[in-house]
Amino acid sequence: MNPKHQRKQRKKNASAMRLVGAQVGLFRRAASLTQTQLAEQVCADYETIASIEQGRRLLKPDLAAELDELLETKGALTVALENMPEMDKYPIWAAEFVDRESDAVALCSFQTQAVPGLLQTEAYARAVFRSRVPALSEDEIEHQVAARMERQEILERKVPPSASFILSEAVLMDRLGGPVVFREQLRHLRRCAELPGISLQIMPFGRETHAALDGPFVLLETPDHEHLAYMETQRGSQLISDQDEVSILAQKYAMLRTQALNPEDSRALLDRLLGES
């Protein structure tokens, strides 16, 4: 198998893999075979068949052709495999949020670990994705970086959203990507802080009270004036539409804005870090 084909396999859409796996299971049951029986007939491990049916392993072309013949599926699995879309631009759990974000009229973002995605430089975004554990392949990293840069186009719309960003001073103390990458990121933040419609505030070290110790979150307002909230975890995320819950987070954000440095002092802090004052 050539390297180009291997890269294409690694980039297959995870949701499409589950769909093809479900088809394998459907056809197997229609043939009155157990997973063990099917594995024996195609000289494969039971775990291989189970993983394919669960969408955890990609069905390979040669096995697809063998299953089509054995299960008399008239080439259905081969056709499905050949027409699988490439990897999702975004994880399944984040796709709906990104869709809502793309046409938001207002957004508020509080971040504690990294610069908000909408304000990241390409090099900084690459450093973020290179920090992932388990590690991503270079193809996957570049795919994710391109998707993140594409997201930022909402700030360049003819009528951009009203955007407020609050980030912990700790984010400015880290050096993701190394000093050159991070200095470029600081300069970019300083430029963004001057853009109309964008408010950038830093939550400083040494505070005695903090309205959002439970972690980062994002608030969105859609063109239909629907108010939503979004929170990420280590292994997933939550898009919140319950207005009572959204209201609680909105109250937290309002308090954060009073606790963080105001936009002018935040710009001054960036200037000091850049050695420009």
Side-chain angles (χ1 to χ4, degrees), residues 1-32:
M1 184 180 297
N2 63 56
K4 183 177 180 181
H5 185 58
Q6 286 180 321
R7 286 197 297 273
K8 187 174 181 181
Q9 281 192 335
R10 285 199 299 270
K11 291 176 64 179
K12 288 299 185 181
N13 188 317
S15 54
M17 285 173 60
R18 285 195 291 272
L19 177 59
V20 171
Q23 288 180 313
V24 172
L26 177 66
F27 294 143
R28 171 183 58 75
R29 289 188 294 275
S32 300

Short mmCIF file of all heavy atoms in Angstrom, two decimals, residues 1-32:
data_model
loop_
_atom_site.label_atom_id
_atom_site.label_comp_id
_atom_site.label_asym_id
_atom_site.label_seq_id
_atom_site.Cartn_x
_atom_site.Cartn_y
_atom_site.Cartn_z
N MET A 1 0.85 -1.19 0.00
CA MET A 1 0.00 0.00 0.00
C MET A 1 0.89 1.24 0.00
O MET A 1 1.80 1.36 0.80
CB MET A 1 -0.90 0.01 1.24
CG MET A 1 -1.89 1.16 1.27
SD MET A 1 -2.92 1.10 2.76
CE MET A 1 -3.76 -0.46 2.49
N ASN A 2 0.66 2.21 -0.92
CA ASN A 2 1.52 3.37 -0.99
C ASN A 2 1.18 4.36 0.10
O ASN A 2 0.08 4.40 0.62
CB ASN A 2 1.45 4.02 -2.38
CG ASN A 2 0.07 4.56 -2.71
OD1 ASN A 2 -0.47 5.36 -1.95
ND2 ASN A 2 -0.49 4.13 -3.82
N PRO A 3 2.14 5.25 0.47
CA PRO A 3 1.93 6.20 1.57
C PRO A 3 0.75 7.11 1.34
O PRO A 3 0.05 7.49 2.28
CB PRO A 3 3.25 6.98 1.60
CG PRO A 3 4.27 6.06 0.99
CD PRO A 3 3.51 5.29 -0.05
N LYS A 4 0.50 7.52 0.08
CA LYS A 4 -0.63 8.41 -0.20
C LYS A 4 -1.94 7.75 0.18
O LYS A 4 -2.83 8.37 0.77
CB LYS A 4 -0.63 8.79 -1.68
CG LYS A 4 -1.73 9.78 -2.04
CD LYS A 4 -1.63 10.17 -3.50
CE LYS A 4 -2.74 11.16 -3.87
NZ LYS A 4 -2.67 11.53 -5.29
N HIS A 5 -2.08 6.45 -0.14
CA HIS A 5 -3.32 5.73 0.20
C HIS A 5 -3.44 5.58 1.71
O HIS A 5 -4.53 5.68 2.26
CB HIS A 5 -3.32 4.37 -0.47
CG HIS A 5 -4.60 3.61 -0.27
ND1 HIS A 5 -5.82 4.11 -0.66
CD2 HIS A 5 -4.84 2.41 0.30
CE1 HIS A 5 -6.77 3.24 -0.36
NE2 HIS A 5 -6.20 2.20 0.23
N GLN A 6 -2.31 5.37 2.40
CA GLN A 6 -2.35 5.25 3.85
C GLN A 6 -2.84 6.55 4.49
O GLN A 6 -3.63 6.54 5.41
CB GLN A 6 -0.96 4.90 4.38
CG GLN A 6 -0.56 3.46 4.11
CD GLN A 6 0.81 3.17 4.65
OE1 GLN A 6 1.71 4.00 4.57
NE2 GLN A 6 0.99 2.00 5.20
N ARG A 7 -2.35 7.69 3.98
CA ARG A 7 -2.79 8.97 4.53
C ARG A 7 -4.28 9.16 4.32
O ARG A 7 -4.99 9.64 5.20
CB ARG A 7 -2.01 10.12 3.87
CG ARG A 7 -0.59 10.24 4.33
CD ARG A 7 -0.05 11.60 3.96
NE ARG A 7 -0.01 11.79 2.51
CZ ARG A 7 1.00 11.44 1.75
NH1 ARG A 7 2.06 10.87 2.27
NH2 ARG A 7 0.97 11.67 0.45
N LYS A 8 -4.76 8.75 3.14
CA LYS A 8 -6.18 8.90 2.86
C LYS A 8 -7.00 8.07 3.81
O LYS A 8 -8.05 8.49 4.31
CB LYS A 8 -6.49 8.50 1.42
CG LYS A 8 -7.92 8.79 1.00
CD LYS A 8 -8.12 8.51 -0.46
CE LYS A 8 -9.54 8.83 -0.89
NZ LYS A 8 -9.78 8.55 -2.31
N GLN A 9 -6.54 6.86 4.15
CA GLN A 9 -7.26 6.02 5.08
C GLN A 9 -7.32 6.66 6.46
O GLN A 9 -8.36 6.66 7.11
CB GLN A 9 -6.58 4.66 5.19
CG GLN A 9 -6.90 3.73 4.04
CD GLN A 9 -6.45 2.32 4.34
OE1 GLN A 9 -5.55 2.10 5.14
NE2 GLN A 9 -7.07 1.35 3.72
N ARG A 10 -6.22 7.25 6.93
CA ARG A 10 -6.21 7.84 8.25
C ARG A 10 -7.16 9.03 8.36
O ARG A 10 -7.58 9.39 9.44
CB ARG A 10 -4.79 8.29 8.62
CG ARG A 10 -3.87 7.14 8.98
CD ARG A 10 -2.69 7.66 9.76
NE ARG A 10 -1.91 8.61 9.00
CZ ARG A 10 -0.90 8.29 8.21
NH1 ARG A 10 -0.55 7.03 8.06
NH2 ARG A 10 -0.23 9.21 7.57
N LYS A 11 -7.51 9.62 7.19
CA LYS A 11 -8.35 10.81 7.23
C LYS A 11 -9.82 10.51 6.97
O LYS A 11 -10.62 11.41 6.75
CB LYS A 11 -7.85 11.83 6.20
CG LYS A 11 -6.51 12.43 6.53
CD LYS A 11 -6.02 13.35 5.47
CE LYS A 11 -6.91 14.56 5.29
NZ LYS A 11 -6.41 15.48 4.26
N LYS A 12 -10.21 9.24 6.99
CA LYS A 12 -11.61 8.93 6.76
C LYS A 12 -12.49 9.47 7.87
O LYS A 12 -12.11 9.51 9.03
CB LYS A 12 -11.82 7.41 6.61
CG LYS A 12 -11.27 6.84 5.30
CD LYS A 12 -11.94 7.44 4.08
CE LYS A 12 -11.46 6.76 2.80
NZ LYS A 12 -12.07 7.35 1.60
N ASN A 13 -13.70 9.86 7.49
CA ASN A 13 -14.67 10.45 8.40
C ASN A 13 -15.10 9.42 9.46
O ASN A 13 -15.54 8.33 9.14
CB ASN A 13 -15.86 10.90 7.56
CG ASN A 13 -16.87 11.68 8.34
OD1 ASN A 13 -17.20 11.33 9.46
ND2 ASN A 13 -17.38 12.73 7.74
N ALA A 14 -14.97 9.80 10.74
CA ALA A 14 -15.29 8.86 11.82
C ALA A 14 -16.76 8.46 11.81
O ALA A 14 -17.10 7.30 12.04
CB ALA A 14 -14.92 9.48 13.17
N SER A 15 -17.67 9.40 11.52
CA SER A 15 -19.08 9.06 11.49
C SER A 15 -19.40 8.14 10.32
O SER A 15 -20.25 7.25 10.43
CB SER A 15 -19.93 10.34 11.43
OG SER A 15 -19.54 11.16 10.35
N ALA A 16 -18.71 8.32 9.19
CA ALA A 16 -18.90 7.44 8.04
C ALA A 16 -18.38 6.04 8.33
O ALA A 16 -18.96 5.04 7.88
CB ALA A 16 -18.21 8.02 6.81
N MET A 17 -17.30 5.94 9.11
CA MET A 17 -16.78 4.63 9.50
C MET A 17 -17.81 3.87 10.32
O MET A 17 -17.99 2.66 10.15
CB MET A 17 -15.49 4.79 10.29
CG MET A 17 -14.28 5.15 9.46
SD MET A 17 -12.81 5.53 10.46
CE MET A 17 -12.58 3.99 11.34
N ARG A 18 -18.52 4.58 11.19
CA ARG A 18 -19.56 3.92 11.98
C ARG A 18 -20.71 3.46 11.11
O ARG A 18 -21.30 2.39 11.34
CB ARG A 18 -20.05 4.86 13.08
CG ARG A 18 -19.07 5.01 14.23
CD ARG A 18 -19.72 5.64 15.44
NE ARG A 18 -20.03 7.05 15.20
CZ ARG A 18 -19.18 8.04 15.42
NH1 ARG A 18 -17.97 7.77 15.85
NH2 ARG A 18 -19.54 9.29 15.20
N LEU A 19 -21.04 4.25 10.09
CA LEU A 19 -22.12 3.87 9.17
C LEU A 19 -21.77 2.61 8.39
O LEU A 19 -22.57 1.68 8.29
CB LEU A 19 -22.41 5.02 8.21
CG LEU A 19 -23.48 4.74 7.13
CD1 LEU A 19 -24.81 4.38 7.77
CD2 LEU A 19 -23.63 5.95 6.21
N VAL A 20 -20.55 2.56 7.86
CA VAL A 20 -20.11 1.36 7.12
C VAL A 20 -20.05 0.16 8.06
O VAL A 20 -20.47 -0.95 7.70
CB VAL A 20 -18.74 1.60 6.46
CG1 VAL A 20 -18.18 0.31 5.87
CG2 VAL A 20 -18.86 2.66 5.36
N GLY A 21 -19.58 0.39 9.28
CA GLY A 21 -19.54 -0.70 10.25
C GLY A 21 -20.92 -1.24 10.57
O GLY A 21 -21.12 -2.46 10.70
N ALA A 22 -21.88 -0.34 10.67
CA ALA A 22 -23.26 -0.76 10.94
C ALA A 22 -23.81 -1.58 9.78
O ALA A 22 -24.57 -2.54 9.99
CB ALA A 22 -24.14 0.45 11.20
N GLN A 23 -23.40 -1.23 8.56
CA GLN A 23 -23.84 -2.00 7.39
C GLN A 23 -23.25 -3.40 7.41
O GLN A 23 -23.94 -4.38 7.09
CB GLN A 23 -23.41 -1.27 6.10
CG GLN A 23 -24.20 -0.01 5.82
CD GLN A 23 -23.73 0.67 4.55
OE1 GLN A 23 -22.54 0.85 4.34
NE2 GLN A 23 -24.67 1.03 3.70
N VAL A 24 -21.98 -3.51 7.80
CA VAL A 24 -21.36 -4.83 7.91
C VAL A 24 -22.15 -5.68 8.91
O VAL A 24 -22.47 -6.84 8.64
CB VAL A 24 -19.88 -4.72 8.35
CG1 VAL A 24 -19.32 -6.11 8.66
CG2 VAL A 24 -19.06 -4.04 7.26
N GLY A 25 -22.48 -5.11 10.06
CA GLY A 25 -23.25 -5.84 11.06
C GLY A 25 -24.62 -6.24 10.55
O GLY A 25 -25.09 -7.36 10.81
N LEU A 26 -25.28 -5.34 9.82
CA LEU A 26 -26.61 -5.63 9.27
C LEU A 26 -26.56 -6.79 8.29
O LEU A 26 -27.37 -7.73 8.36
CB LEU A 26 -27.17 -4.37 8.59
CG LEU A 26 -28.52 -4.53 7.90
CD1 LEU A 26 -29.62 -4.82 8.92
CD2 LEU A 26 -28.86 -3.27 7.10
N PHE A 27 -25.60 -6.73 7.37
CA PHE A 27 -25.48 -7.78 6.37
C PHE A 27 -25.08 -9.11 7.01
O PHE A 27 -25.53 -10.19 6.58
CB PHE A 27 -24.45 -7.39 5.29
CG PHE A 27 -24.88 -6.21 4.44
CD1 PHE A 27 -23.95 -5.27 4.03
CD2 PHE A 27 -26.19 -6.05 4.05
CE1 PHE A 27 -24.32 -4.19 3.25
CE2 PHE A 27 -26.59 -4.98 3.26
CZ PHE A 27 -25.65 -4.04 2.86
N ARG A 28 -24.23 -9.06 8.04
CA ARG A 28 -23.81 -10.29 8.73
C ARG A 28 -25.01 -10.96 9.39
O ARG A 28 -25.20 -12.18 9.27
CB ARG A 28 -22.74 -9.96 9.78
CG ARG A 28 -22.40 -11.14 10.68
CD ARG A 28 -21.40 -10.77 11.75
NE ARG A 28 -21.83 -9.69 12.63
CZ ARG A 28 -22.74 -9.82 13.59
NH1 ARG A 28 -23.35 -10.99 13.80
NH2 ARG A 28 -23.05 -8.78 14.36
N ARG A 29 -25.81 -10.16 10.10
CA ARG A 29 -26.98 -10.74 10.76
C ARG A 29 -27.99 -11.27 9.76
O ARG A 29 -28.64 -12.30 10.00
CB ARG A 29 -27.62 -9.69 11.67
CG ARG A 29 -26.77 -9.36 12.91
CD ARG A 29 -27.50 -8.48 13.89
NE ARG A 29 -27.76 -7.14 13.35
CZ ARG A 29 -26.90 -6.13 13.40
NH1 ARG A 29 -25.71 -6.30 13.97
NH2 ARG A 29 -27.22 -4.95 12.90
N ALA A 30 -28.13 -10.59 8.62
CA ALA A 30 -29.04 -11.07 7.58
C ALA A 30 -28.60 -12.42 7.04
O ALA A 30 -29.43 -13.23 6.60
CB ALA A 30 -29.13 -10.05 6.44
N ALA A 31 -27.29 -12.68 7.10
CA ALA A 31 -26.76 -13.97 6.65
C ALA A 31 -26.73 -14.99 7.78
O ALA A 31 -26.20 -16.10 7.61
CB ALA A 31 -25.34 -13.78 6.10
N SER A 32 -27.30 -14.62 8.95
CA SER A 32 -27.37 -15.52 10.11
C SER A 32 -26.00 -15.98 10.58
O SER A 32 -25.80 -17.15 10.92
CB SER A 32 -28.26 -16.73 9.79
OG SER A 32 -29.56 -16.32 9.46
#
